[in-house]
Amino acid sequence: MSAISVGQAVILGAVEGVTEFLPVSSTGHLKIAEGLMGIPVDDDAVVGFSAVIQVGAIAAVLVYFRSDIARIVSAWTRGLFRAEERQHHDYRFAWWVIFATIPIVVVGLAAKPLIHGPLASLWVVAGSLIAGSAVMWAADRLGRHKRGEDDTSFKDAMLVGGSQILALLFPGFSRSGATMSTALLLDLDRVAATRLSFFLGIPALTGAGLYELKDALGTGAGAAPLIVGTAVSFAVAYASIAWLLRYVAKHTFTAFVIYRLAVGVLLFGLLGAGVLEG
């Protein structure tokens, strides 16, 4: 019997799609939703399901940014065979994304028992939501927002890519929140920070989903819930990406900071009252 029903998969897919690229922590929201539905958050099948439906959100990024991705991959391919192409920003950017993904892969494999064990606690999620809010608030105000996407460097990519480790170890911190905050501290403008977060998330999240697929199918997460959850995640994430890019072009991250604080405090309250188990 599947650990997650098709109906629950629809809800979790929608939660994943809405929150994966917003700086509010998709992992944290998934764990909260799972807890409210009585789904054990530390069950292997549930952990695997959560990772696999991220592939739907990543597919939405691939489709939404298909022209950008095609341009970058084309430049990278040309640069492999033609030295004169290697000075092109897109060629270098492709390598930066690859190198920037290595830290999170290494930590993810080394710390898997902790990530799927003690660090999967809802208490950790609540604390990380609040701590991440403070970082985001400071980054949005301290950053000078003077650098665009074409101004990014190898150092930027490595620092922003490495910051994904915070969300990996502390669910609730938010991968998007960590990467966007780091980019803002490096003086990128909000749109450039958001787009860089998207591109750096593609290999890391795709790899995590594919890595967990075998375990998810082998530990009770049925094929039907996985397919439904992934499809819903794709559709909702596509809409979320379009909305977020329009939003950050004209607004600060204050609304996300307030929302994260509210959810973190509420979660601490639910845990303290025994409504949810940590």
Side-chain angles (χ1 to χ4, degrees):
M1 183 176 180
S2 174
I4 297 174
S5 69
V6 171
Q8 291 170 330
V10 171
I11 296 173
L12 294 176
V15 171
E16 164 65 23
V18 169
T19 61
E20 181 58 60
F21 300 110
L22 301 187
V24 297
S25 175
S26 61
T27 301
H29 279 75
L30 282 172
K31 290 184 181 299
I32 293 170
E34 290 160 1
L36 290 174
M37 291 190 289
I39 300 172
V41 299
D42 57 351
D43 183 276
D44 287 344
V46 177
V47 173
F49 175 87
S50 299
V52 171
I53 64 173
Q54 286 180 332
V55 175
I58 290 300
V61 173
L62 294 174
V63 173
Y64 192 91
F65 292 107
R66 58 190 179 277
S67 59
D68 295 283
I69 294 171
R71 188 190 72 246
I72 292 168
V73 171
S74 176
W76 181 74
T77 303
R78 292 195 308 271
L80 291 177
F81 301 100
R82 296 165 57 185
E84 64 272 17
E85 295 287 343
R86 294 171 191 169
Q87 298 305 311
H88 197 289
H89 184 271
D90 287 337
Y91 170 80
R92 290 177 290 166
F93 184 76
W95 278 116
W96 297 346
V97 171
I98 293 171
F99 288 130
T101 302
I102 294 175
I104 193 173
V105 172
V106 172
V107 174
L109 293 175
K112 185 177 180 181
L114 285 174
I115 295 167
H116 289 185
L119 294 178
S121 166
L122 286 175
W123 290 100
V124 175
V125 171
S128 299
L129 277 166
I130 294 173
S133 298
V135 173
M136 185 179 298
W137 181 85
D140 203 20
R141 279 150 185 77
L142 294 175
R144 290 178 288 178
H145 314 289
K146 67 177 185 178
R147 300 170 58 209
E149 188 174 349
D150 291 338
D151 298 320
T152 54
S153 66
F154 176 68
K155 175 184 175 182
D156 296 329
M158 291 302 296
L159 289 174
V160 174
S163 70
Q164 295 177 107
I165 294 172
L166 286 171
L168 185 66
L169 296 177
F170 304 105
F173 204 95
S174 169
R175 189 203 64 80
S176 295
T179 53
M180 290 177 190
S181 295
T182 302
L184 290 173
L185 287 171
L186 292 169
D187 294 331
L188 270 69
D189 64 46
R190 295 184 182 93
V191 174
T194 302
R195 284 174 59 89
L196 183 59
S197 174
F198 285 143
F199 289 124
L200 288 173
I202 292 173
L205 294 177
T206 301
L210 296 177
Y211 180 79
E212 295 285 357
L213 180 58
K214 174 178 62 66
D215 293 338
L217 290 173
T219 52
L226 280 173
I227 293 171
V228 171
T230 302
V232 172
S233 173
F234 169 84
V236 177
Y238 190 93
S240 295
I241 293 167
W243 176 83
L244 180 61
L245 287 171
R246 290 195 301 269
Y247 181 86
V248 298
K250 298 180 180 179
H251 301 83
T252 69
F253 285 94
T254 301
F256 297 117
V257 171
I258 295 172
Y259 174 79
R260 288 170 58 99
L261 285 171
V263 173
V265 171
L266 175 62
L267 183 53
F268 269 131
L270 292 174
L271 290 167
V275 177
L276 291 177
E277 294 184 4

